[in-house]
Amino acid sequence: MSASIWSRDIDRPRRVGRQLRAGTVWTNTWALVVDQFEEGGFKQSGLGRLNGLRGLEEFQEYKTYAQVTG
């Protein structure tokens, strides 16, 4: 789950955000995703941390094998 808090008060979003059980809390915006930030929710919410399956690619190394026959 995620949440968005809209306010002109500079302190209110942080105060309210601490009380929310949401993996992502935006302030004065919605659905802004930055790849450098870890994503994830609480309990069984969403795909998990580090952008889900896409995040696994950060920990993988690819190797290509070529075989010549004949």
Side-chain angles (χ1 to χ4, degrees), residues 1-5 13 16-18 20-27 29:
M1 292 185 72
S2 59
S4 181
I5 302 169
V16 172
R18 280 191 224 116
L20 295 174
R21 296 288 296 166
T24 303
V25 179
W26 291 284
T27 301
T29 189

Side-chain angles (χ1 to χ4, degrees), residues 6-70:
W6 297 82
S7 176
R8 291 184 181 151
D9 184 328
I10 195 167
D11 297 317
R12 182 176 293 175
R14 182 169 285 172
R15 189 172 60 248
V16 172
R18 280 191 224 116
Q19 297 174 13
L20 295 174
R21 296 288 296 166
T24 303
V25 179
W26 291 284
T27 301
N28 295 337
T29 189
W30 175 254
L32 176 68
V33 177
V34 180
D35 287 335
Q36 290 83 0
F37 293 158
E38 183 175 326
E39 290 185 52
F42 292 92
K43 300 179 184 178
Q44 295 180 7
S45 176
L47 295 175
R49 303 260 178 224
L50 297 174
N51 295 319
L53 294 176
R54 186 172 156 241
L56 290 176
E57 293 178 3
E58 296 292 324
F59 304 100
Q60 295 176 335
E61 293 183 18
Y62 292 96
K63 185 179 278 192
T64 302
Y65 291 91
Q67 180 178 351
V68 179
T69 59

